[in-house]
Amino acid sequence: MHRITFHTSFLQDSQNRRYFTFLAVFSLMLFIFGIAFCTALMSSAKTILLSHDEAIVSSLLNQGIPAHAIATALSDMSGKDTQAASALLSRIGISKMQDSRFLPPLHEYARTAQTLMFSASFLLSSLLLFGTYLFLSRREGLYRQASSVLDNYLSGDYSRHLPQEKEGSLYRMFSCIDRLATMLQAQNENEHHAKIFLRNTISDISHQLKTPLAALSMYLEIMENEPGHPDVIQEFSAKSETSIRRMEQLIQSMLKITRLDTGNILFEKHKCKLEELVMKSLDDLADRARNEGKEIVTEGSPDDTLICDISWTSEAIGNLVKNALEHTKKGGTICISWHVSPIAVKIIVSDDGKGIAPEDIHHIFKRFYRSRKSQDTQGIGLGLSLAKSIVEGQDGTITVHSIPGEGTKFIVQF
């Protein structure tokens, strides 16, 4: 057996609800008109029958038939001798085969019935057609509005929205289409930003590679012109190697930042000791600090831990230390400390170098940004930007505080 279920969710649509109400009222009116029509026909038949009887009685009285005989004939409807009556009616031209037009009472009754039927049918049909036309015209207007908005969506214009202010299945569908359009708009914007980002990245790399490439070209030309001077060749070979390392560092840093910004890197977080994390970040920097006459010290509990991507986080801390070494004079100190609280883990890289000028401090995390006061230092202006991308990619924050002439402090917080 199949269970029949009735769904009334379509009544949540106001237009459907009004049209359904109209049909219910129309059905009630049809029922009332039917009763009225039958009553009117009965009344008409009674009037015609009485008129017919009155005409017969009048004719019989004029012919001298006694009134009591006429009354008996009209009241006695038993019809005992129907054959004789039928024969008499046939002789005077009245039979079942006769056209109703030649029977005035019947013709009058038929004309009255046709008039009532035509009037009722015309009125009810007009009402039904008008109500249906009104419903369909409003629904067509809604469809036209939706079609216009969808055409705008297809052309890339998302300024208009489909109607969603009412209830019903149609408006729920409009809401879903609108959400889909919002997703497409966001996707288009992301693709647009990605194209701009790629264009800017290529432009940045091209711009930054111009200087070392030009230097390499010049060094090669000098060495070609000085084949008999080994000291000159050795000097410019060393400079060429420095330019190549600079280009390699630039390309590697840009590739890392680009992968971070586009979300192509998945951080693999593990629990690690902060002391081990800091020492890993200093693997390649301790010798440099000693060679430059600078000291690196660490402060913090050896038992403190952090959940992070060890490789990437150590690179971020290493970039902060490199920045400190570049801006600290010989005999200076770089301190790496950490502190764990119930709500956050802080890693602080501070130095006693020359500090950052107030006009530069809001730009130091931008790519390739180099202060006019630090043109004589090493670096290409990507270390701090890369550190920021790594930290923020792991839901952390990085801030800086600096006093010119006294030093700088970078605070990494997870």
Side-chain angles (χ1 to χ4, degrees):
M1 294 180 64
H2 297 282
R3 179 179 296 177
I4 300 177
T5 57
F6 297 93
H7 300 281
T8 59
S9 58
F10 74 96
L11 292 179
Q12 293 178 351
D13 189 322
S14 60
Q15 291 185 1
N16 289 345
R17 188 165 57 247
R18 284 195 293 267
Y19 186 65
F20 187 79
T21 303
F22 163 75
L23 290 179
V25 174
F26 179 82
S27 300
L28 179 61
M29 292 177 62
L30 185 62
F31 177 74
I32 295 174
F33 269 104
I35 295 176
F37 177 74
C38 292
T39 303
L41 287 181
M42 289 294 293
S43 177
S44 177
K46 183 176 68 173
T47 301
I48 293 172
L49 184 61
L50 287 175
S51 298
H52 180 261
D53 289 346
E54 288 174 354
I56 293 176
V57 170
S58 177
S59 178
L60 292 175
L61 287 173
N62 291 333
Q63 297 177 29
I65 304 298
H68 69 277
I70 297 173
T72 301
L74 291 176
S75 60
D76 185 9
M77 302 298 293
S78 60
K80 296 178 180 179
D81 193 5
T82 57
Q83 290 183 350
S86 297
L88 176 61
L89 291 174
S90 295
R91 282 198 299 271
I92 64 176
I94 300 175
S95 67
K96 295 181 179 179
M97 302 301 294
Q98 189 175 9
D99 195 326
S100 60
R101 291 177 297 173
F102 301 106
L103 298 174
L106 182 59
H107 181 65
E108 180 68 20
Y109 177 77
R111 188 174 62 181
T112 302
Q114 290 173 358
T115 302
L116 290 175
M117 179 66 73
F118 176 77
S119 301
S121 299
F122 178 78
L123 179 61
L124 291 175
S125 299
S126 300
L127 182 62
L128 179 61
L129 290 174
F130 176 75
T132 304
Y133 171 78
L134 192 62
F135 169 76
L136 293 179
S137 63
R138 290 182 177 179
R139 187 51 58 109
E140 179 66 17
L142 187 61
Y143 290 154
R144 288 181 180 275
Q145 181 184 358
S147 177
S148 175
V149 174
L150 291 177
D151 286 339
N152 287 353
Y153 288 168
L154 292 176
S155 62
D157 180 11
Y158 298 94
S159 59
R160 297 176 60 192
H161 296 282
L162 291 168
Q164 305 173 37
E165 67 276 4
K166 298 179 181 179
E167 296 181 349
S169 302
L170 185 62
Y171 292 97
R172 285 197 297 271
M173 182 182 68
F174 286 167
S175 177
C176 292
I177 295 175
D178 221 36
R179 290 200 299 271
L180 178 61
T182 302
M183 293 173 60
L184 292 175
Q185 181 183 12
Q187 183 178 355
N188 291 339
E189 290 178 354
N190 290 336
E191 291 178 355
H192 178 68
H193 292 323
K195 290 179 180 179
I196 294 177
F197 171 77
L198 180 60
R199 182 184 64 196
N200 293 339
T201 300
I202 294 174
S203 176
D204 288 340
I205 293 177
S206 300
H207 178 73
Q208 293 298 322
L209 287 177
K210 286 180 180 179
T211 301
L213 283 174
L216 276 174
S217 178
M218 182 181 65
Y219 298 157
L220 289 173
E221 184 178 353
I222 292 174
M223 286 188 288
E224 288 176 356
N225 295 330
E226 300 289 342
H229 298 80
D231 54 338
V232 174
I233 294 177
Q234 184 177 4
E235 176 187 355
F236 285 97
S237 294
K239 291 183 177 181
S240 297
E241 184 179 356
T242 301
S243 295
I244 292 174
R245 283 200 303 268
R246 179 181 175 86
M247 291 170 58
E248 181 181 7
Q249 181 185 2
L250 168 66
I251 294 172
Q252 290 295 331
S253 298
M254 281 302 304
L255 287 175
K256 289 177 182 179
I257 292 178
T258 303
R259 291 173 63 196
L260 286 167
D261 288 348
T262 55
N264 292 328
I265 291 180
L266 180 63
F267 292 103
E268 298 179 0
K269 297 182 179 182
H270 302 284
K271 187 176 183 180
C272 65
K273 289 188 176 182
L274 281 166
E275 185 177 36
E276 295 177 359
L277 177 67
V278 170
M279 297 310 297
K280 180 177 176 61
S281 66
L282 298 177
D283 282 346
D284 301 326
L285 299 175
D287 291 339
R288 173 182 169 180
R290 283 194 296 270
N291 293 336
E292 295 178 0
K294 303 168 187 176
E295 183 181 9
I296 299 178
V297 298
T298 59
E299 296 178 1
S301 172
D303 297 324
D304 289 337
T305 59
L306 172 66
I307 298 177
C308 66
D309 187 302
I310 301 174
S311 177
W312 283 102
T313 308
S314 64
E315 180 168 353
I317 298 173
N319 285 340
L320 297 179
V321 176
K322 288 178 185 177
N323 182 77
L325 288 171
E326 290 167 2
H327 296 86
T328 303
K329 296 180 180 180
K330 184 176 181 179
T333 302
I334 295 93
C335 177
I336 308 173
S337 61
W338 58 89
H339 173 69
V340 178
S341 68
I343 60 172
V345 175
K346 289 184 179 180
I347 302 174
I348 302 171
V349 178
S350 57
D351 63 66
D352 54 5
K354 58 184 179 182
I356 304 172
E359 63 270 19
D360 295 325
I361 198 164
H362 298 294
H363 305 284
I364 60 172
F365 291 110
K366 294 180 180 178
R367 295 174 192 175
F368 302 113
Y369 182 78
R370 302 270 293 168
S371 172
R372 57 184 177 83
K373 299 180 180 180
S374 60
Q375 297 298 323
D376 57 338
T377 61
Q378 302 180 27
I380 54 178
L382 285 177
L384 294 181
S385 178
L386 179 57
K388 186 174 187 292
S389 297
I390 294 172
V391 172
E392 292 182 350
Q394 299 180 84
D395 300 322
T397 60
I398 181 170
T399 55
V400 57
H401 302 282
S402 182
I403 300 176
E406 297 185 13
T408 304
K409 179 187 295 183
F410 286 92
I411 303 173
V412 177
Q413 184 168 279
F414 295 99

